[in-house]
Amino acid sequence: MSAEPPPSPEGVLGKRHRALSIGIVSVVLLIAFEATAVGTAMPVAARELHGIPLYAFAFSAYFTTSLFAMVLSGQWADRRGPLAPLTTGIVAFAAGLLLSGTASTMMLFILGRAVQGLGGGLVIVALYVVISRAYPEQLRPAILAAFAASWVVPSVVGPLASGAITESLGWRWVFVGIPALVVFPLVLALPAIRRMAAGPADPEAPVLPFERKQLRLALGISLGAGLLQYAGQDLRWLSLLPAAVGVALLVPAVLGLLPRGTYRAARGLPSVVLLRGIAAGSFIAAESFVPLMLVTERGLSPTMAGLSLAVGGATWAFGSFVQSRPRMEPYRERLVSLGMVLVAAAIAVVPTVLIPSVPVWVVGVAWGFGCFGMGMVIAATSVLLLKLSAPEEAGTNSAALQISDGLSNVMLLAIGGAVFAALGGGTVAAHSTVAGTGGGSHPTAFAAVFLPMACVALVGAWVATRLREREA
């Protein structure tokens, strides 16, 4: 086992870590701008490419390919170091954006999103390995808080910039313009990573070959998640076949890739991984329907609907900052429990705007509190994972954390989308999203998405009580 990085009297912007910190935060900033800007341009792209029926696949393609890439990146980083998967991931991410931005058909657009997912999956796991190798334990909460803070500006500027570019130059420029941002993090971060975190965790140990069984299981997760997403969008009896195949692929893959005891919330690492999935899945599944609800039920423009959630970027960063304070270390598990309660409350409050007398600003306030809770939960689970992982296992365990995150997103989005469509929400929602007019005829469909997700988040509050391992 390699030695822990030496304690540093300086912070993450001290001389030793400054270039690395700025570089890897820039990578996260790039991903944040992509997520916020591309989401705003996506409806216009789908309409011009005559791909509204395939709209959901533009999102799920990213998640499904990233699941495979996360496992690959974990093994790659543990065996060879995080430099190569991080570089490859950034390049693939940019290539996917260019492919989507120049696509002439919706299928090519979706293919570009899939390539982006491969890049994103490689990058996010490699970044966790960089943190475990290059930063001492006392600095890890701070750098993870910086990751959260890097979403603040994109969450506000991204939708506005994307909307302006889409209206003045066209949606394609949103996609082909972002890759230009790749140059800065590559130039700044890669030399620092090569100096501080390159190579295997133990240079003297023999380099093990890739575990092909794990990679096959990862491929099974990606294919299974994609089939379930397809079945959830195509509500016919014939859809039961791809759904059954998807489940058959997913179950053994999940059991083989996540820590033993994850789905019974065993104490310690398994509960950390499980909680990450519960938090991310319930929150993202709910958030995906918030702008759609505001457009179709309250008549807001797409840009205004997206901006109603913009305050969440700042409160998310503040929540991450709160848990990063050294004096909060003994209370981290309690903060996570509180965070999940706030998430559940926010998701439950949001659909109250389906009542016409409830002002729309209630969504912004509620989501601000929910994002504050998520900031504490996401950063704290990342800190706890690295604390419970040996250096040579950081890649594999980080991949498990991200798989739980991504798979839960796909599963709960598929379930939420299927319920929404089954209750008649899909037809008027698709028309209203494109046309920009309020439909206001399917409030039950929205409520049937939000309220179950609030219950899922409450389950996460219980799981948060099991993050600490029992004292010997």
Side-chain angles (χ1 to χ4, degrees), residues 68-245:
F68 172 78
M70 290 168 187
V71 177
L72 175 61
S73 183
Q75 292 201 26
W76 196 351
D78 281 344
R79 287 158 176 75
R80 309 283 183 179
L83 184 62
L86 181 63
T87 306
T88 305
I90 292 175
V91 172
F93 191 81
L97 282 165
L98 291 174
L99 181 57
S100 290
T102 56
S104 57
T105 66
M106 191 62 178
M107 292 307 297
L108 283 175
F109 182 87
I110 292 172
L111 177 61
R113 292 287 293 165
V115 175
Q116 271 186 262
L118 286 171
L122 289 171
V123 167
I124 191 64
V125 172
L127 284 177
Y128 275 82
V129 177
V130 170
I131 292 172
S132 73
R133 300 272 186 92
Y135 293 86
E137 185 174 329
Q138 67 268 25
L139 290 184
R140 291 171 188 168
I143 190 64
L144 289 167
F147 280 12
S150 67
W151 280 79
V152 175
V153 173
S155 68
V156 177
V157 175
L160 287 175
S162 177
I165 293 172
T166 299
E167 292 175 8
S168 60
L169 299 176
W171 65 268
R172 294 183 185 276
W173 285 98
V174 175
F175 288 84
V176 301
I178 293 176
L181 302 175
V182 167
V183 176
F184 178 74
L186 282 176
V187 170
L188 193 59
L190 297 188
I193 294 172
R194 184 179 293 110
R195 183 178 70 254
M196 301 177 68
D202 185 354
E204 298 180 0
V207 178
L208 299 175
F210 282 71
E211 296 183 26
R212 296 183 180 181
K213 179 182 178 181
Q214 299 293 95
L215 295 177
R216 287 196 298 269
L217 291 175
L219 184 60
I221 276 189
S222 291
L223 292 176
L227 288 170
L228 283 179
Q229 181 74 16
Y230 171 79
Q233 295 295 314
D234 187 20
L235 297 178
R236 297 181 298 168
W237 286 109
L238 288 176
S239 299
L240 292 175
L241 179 59
V245 175

Side-chain angles (χ1 to χ4, degrees), residues 293 297-298 350-358 442-444 446-447 450:
M293 178 183 67
E297 302 299 316
R298 297 301 296 262
V350 161
T352 61
V353 300
L354 293 168
I355 303 171
S357 60
V358 176
H442 289 78
T444 304
F446 286 102
F450 289 111

Side-chain angles (χ1 to χ4, degrees), residues 249-274:
L249 289 170
L250 273 176
V251 171
V254 168
L255 292 176
L257 290 173
L258 299 187
R260 187 182 299 275
T262 296
Y263 284 99
R264 56 181 175 84
R267 287 188 173 275
L269 183 64
S271 284
V272 172
V273 172
L274 176 60

